[in-house]
């Protein structure tokens, strides 16, 4: 029996586009059609529930972007009226520290949002400027305190490392400042230069490999000694505060994706065999508003499933059981036995469970390369 799917809701507008960002985000250039977007999300959810997923109570919801902290809480409330949640559902919203004067955190809290993910990125004002951020370090600290005062007891801070010309000392200073705020969760992402971004066109000078390795090992040690357990490549949590929504992705669970450019994943096993499909929505906000109920459904061919499964499961420090592989893909573990034993002999994965070793996590692309076809 598969667990309930999660719900991902995308909000595609930002104040301005950051030069490193490859997410489906668009400068708002004035008014955001708040009411029309909320109505589109409601229709989108209803259509996907009817056509693909059936009636669902969601145990996790993630409102991502873009900049969802630009979403009028009154309109977001309308969307929430259409969503059925389990009693202890984890409901996360991303918040940009440069937008917090628009709407109050208390308003989001009273809708039922109980986890905030604050996009700090760095606490060094020069780096924030290079990253094209619309806030300074003091705004992030203030946003964090305001969120606490509004009653948020579960807060994540997003930080990036390997920033242009960043030294190890600067990266550690960023981490120490984040840790001093005492969040429940820290996401610590290595900056990647994504194709089709400003940074790809005009690449900044990023630290060389030995510095990156030094930042990574010192950072991991600092997080661990500060009580944050690494449970995923970039995810660090205080005990009891792992992100349930992301865990569902990494365990290859299903999710409904609503909003412009949102992706979803849907598994059916009745009748057998297991069939996995991906869903996509129109990316451009204007197009999405016109076609909110159109769903692009792409079945995943069986040969692609081992790679897709491993891309998620091997991000987890503890990995998953070999049984879960069979359950979620419909493929017997024996079919990948030879590839797995070979990787285990090279010290990249554990022989007896579906998990990468520390070295395997560092060279995850090499591990995943073995599952291409
Ligand atoms: C979907 S983004 C949106 C968060 C929010 N809009 C903000 O920027 O404050 C989620 C996180 O991904 C990370 N991220 C985005 N682009 C990245 C890149 N090119 N390399 C590494 N991390 C990135 C950032 O830490 C960001 O906070
Ligand atoms: S604010 Fe966030 S989503 Fe928007 S462009 Fe910047 S990183 Fe991307």
């Amino acid at each position: 029996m598969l667990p309930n799917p999660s719900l991902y809701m995308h909000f595609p507008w930002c104040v301005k586009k950051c030069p490193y960002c490859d997410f489906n985000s668009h400068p708002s250039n004035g008014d955001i059609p708040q009411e029309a977007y909320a109505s589109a999300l409601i229709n989108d959810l209803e259509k996907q529930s009817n056509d693909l997923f059936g009636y669902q109570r969601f145990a996790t919801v993630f409102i991502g972007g873009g900049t969802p902290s630009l979403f009028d809480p009154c309109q977001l409330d309308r969307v929430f009226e259409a969503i059925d949640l389990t009693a202890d559902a984890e409901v996360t919203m991303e918040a940009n520290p440069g937008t917090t004067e628009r709407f109050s955190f208390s308003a989001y809290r009273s809708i039922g949002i109980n986890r905030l993910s604050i996009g700090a990125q760095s606490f060094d004002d020069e780096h924030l400027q290079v990253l094209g951020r619309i806030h300074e370090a003091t705004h992030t600290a203030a946003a964090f305190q305001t969120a606490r005062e509004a009653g948020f007891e579960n807060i994540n801070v997003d930080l990036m490392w390997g920033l242009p010309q960043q030294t190890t000392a600067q990266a550690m200073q960023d981490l120490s400042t984040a840790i001093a705020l005492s969040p429940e969760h820290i996401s610590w992402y290595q900056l990647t230069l994504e194709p089709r971004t400003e940074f790809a066109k005009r690449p900044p000078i990023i630290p060389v490999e030995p510095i990156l390795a030094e930042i990574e090992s010192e950072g991991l040690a600092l997080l661990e000694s500060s009580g944050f357990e690494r449970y995923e490549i970039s995810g660090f949590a205080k005990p009891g505060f792992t992100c349930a929504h992301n865990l569902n992705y990494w365990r290859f669970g299903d999710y409904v994706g609503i909003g412009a450019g949102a992706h979803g994943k849907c598994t059916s096993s009745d009748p057998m065999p297991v069939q996995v499909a991906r869903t996509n929505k129109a990316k451009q906000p204007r197009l999405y508003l016109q076609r909110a109920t159109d769903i692009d459904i792409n079945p995943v061919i069986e040969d692609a499933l081992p790679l897709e499964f491993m891309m998620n499961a091997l991000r987890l420090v503890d990995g998953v059981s070999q049984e879960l592989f069979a359950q979620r893909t419909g493929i017997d573990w024996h079919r990948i036995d030879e590839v797995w034993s070979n990787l285990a002999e090279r010290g990249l994965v554990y022989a007896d469970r579906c998990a990468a070793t520390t070295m395997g996590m560092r060279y995850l692309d090499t591990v995943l390369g073995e599952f291409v076809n």
Side-chain angles (χ1 to χ4, degrees), residues 173-193:
Q173 186 56 49
D174 271 355
L175 261 184
S176 302
T177 311
I179 290 166
L181 290 173
S182 226
E184 283 64 38
H185 192 288
I186 294 180
S187 297
W188 195 48
Y189 300 111
Q190 179 174 0
L191 175 70
T192 49
L193 301 186

Side-chain angles (χ1 to χ4, degrees), residues 14 16-18 20-21 23 25 65-67 96 133:
C14 293
K16 66 186 264 269
K17 184 85 183 171
C18 303
Y20 57 87
C21 177
F23 288 89
S25 58
T67 303
N96 184 318
R133 300 294 295 180

Side-chain angles (χ1 to χ4, degrees), residues 106 144-152:
S106 308
F144 190 93
Q145 293 317 333
T146 312
R148 282 285 193 235
E149 283 155 24
F152 284 95

Side-chain angles (χ1 to χ4, degrees), residues 251 276 289:
R251 291 176 180 149
V276 177
L289 284 166

Side-chain angles (χ1 to χ4, degrees), residues 294-352:
D294 288 4
I295 320 168
D296 176 24
I297 306 169
N298 300 295
V300 181
I301 57 165
E302 195 186 74
D303 282 355
L305 281 172
L307 175 64
E308 289 218 8
F309 183 89
M310 296 302 170
M311 279 169 71
N312 288 283
L314 298 186
R315 293 184 66 91
L316 289 170
V317 171
D318 290 340
V320 297
S321 67
Q322 296 181 348
E323 289 75 47
L324 193 79
F325 174 80
Q327 259 173 38
R328 297 283 159 91
T329 62
I331 300 171
D332 199 282
W333 181 265
H334 294 302
R335 293 241 316 257
I336 60 164
D337 238 355
E338 202 181 313
V339 173
W340 195 262
S341 308
N342 191 282
L343 286 167
E345 273 166 30
R346 290 156 68 193
L348 295 166
V349 300
Y350 293 100
D352 57 346

Side-chain angles (χ1 to χ4, degrees), residues 15-298:
V15 174
K16 66 186 264 269
K17 184 85 183 171
C18 303
Y20 57 87
C21 177
D22 184 33
F23 288 89
N24 184 34
S25 58
H26 306 263
S28 61
N29 296 329
D31 275 356
I32 294 172
Q34 302 266 4
E35 193 175 343
Y37 195 69
S39 301
L41 289 170
I42 295 165
N43 295 336
D44 187 357
L45 177 61
E46 190 188 22
K47 174 81 171 156
Q48 295 203 50
S49 301
N50 286 339
D51 289 9
L52 287 172
F53 291 91
Y55 166 77
Q56 297 292 346
R57 295 187 89 191
F58 295 104
T60 78
V61 179
F62 195 101
I63 310 161
T67 303
S69 47
L70 292 173
F71 204 170
D72 181 341
C74 297
Q75 295 305 327
L76 190 53
D77 193 24
R78 283 182 53 219
V79 183
F80 268 80
E81 275 169 26
I83 301 173
D84 234 333
L85 296 171
T86 58
D88 55 354
E90 176 195 273
V91 186
T92 307
M93 187 181 86
E94 288 178 343
N96 184 318
T99 61
T100 48
E101 75 288 355
R102 307 276 167 114
F103 302 110
S104 84
F105 279 154
S106 308
Y108 292 120
R109 184 74 194 86
S110 59
I111 295 173
I113 294 165
N114 52 26
R115 184 173 184 271
L116 271 193
S117 177
I118 298 183
Q121 319 309 351
S122 170
F123 289 94
D124 177 314
D125 284 339
E126 278 178 30
H127 276 134
L128 287 171
Q129 222 170 22
V130 173
L131 293 172
R133 300 294 295 180
I134 55 168
H135 57 91
E136 292 171 10
T138 51
H139 299 137
T140 309
F144 190 93
Q145 293 317 333
T146 312
R148 282 285 193 235
E149 283 155 24
F152 284 95
E153 293 172 352
N154 190 355
I155 305 182
N156 167 59
V157 171
D158 272 351
L159 269 188
M160 295 193 294
W161 61 278
L163 304 181
Q165 297 182 320
Q166 190 178 44
T167 63
T168 305
Q170 287 173 327
M172 291 313 105
Q173 186 56 49
D174 271 355
L175 261 184
S176 302
T177 311
I179 290 166
L181 290 173
S182 226
E184 283 64 38
H185 192 288
I186 294 180
S187 297
W188 195 48
Y189 300 111
Q190 179 174 0
L191 175 70
T192 49
L193 301 186
E194 301 289 345
R196 298 182 307 275
T197 60
E198 269 307 300
F199 272 8
K201 272 188 233 151
R202 273 178 283 278
I205 299 169
I206 52 170
V208 292
E209 188 54 46
I211 304 285
L212 291 174
E214 186 178 70
I215 295 177
E216 186 175 26
S217 70
E218 288 192 21
L220 293 179
L222 178 59
L223 282 158
E224 196 187 332
S225 64
S226 308
F228 289 90
E229 191 186 343
R230 186 190 204 190
Y231 67 104
E232 186 265 340
I233 286 194
S234 312
F236 302 81
K238 289 269 176 72
F241 287 98
T242 54
C243 175
H245 185 85
N246 286 341
L247 279 171
N248 179 55
Y249 290 150
W250 297 319
R251 291 176 180 149
F252 215 50
D254 284 354
Y255 50 98
V256 184
I258 60 171
H263 305 296
K265 171 178 173 283
C266 170
T267 308
S268 63
S269 54
D270 184 21
M272 292 296 267
V274 171
Q275 293 280 345
V276 177
R278 299 274 181 195
T279 64
N280 301 301
K281 305 293 301 186
K283 272 183 95 172
Q284 284 297 326
R286 211 164 4 99
L287 208 59
Y288 173 77
L289 284 166
Q290 289 162 8
R291 302 187 189 164
T293 53
D294 288 4
I295 320 168
D296 176 24
I297 306 169
N298 300 295

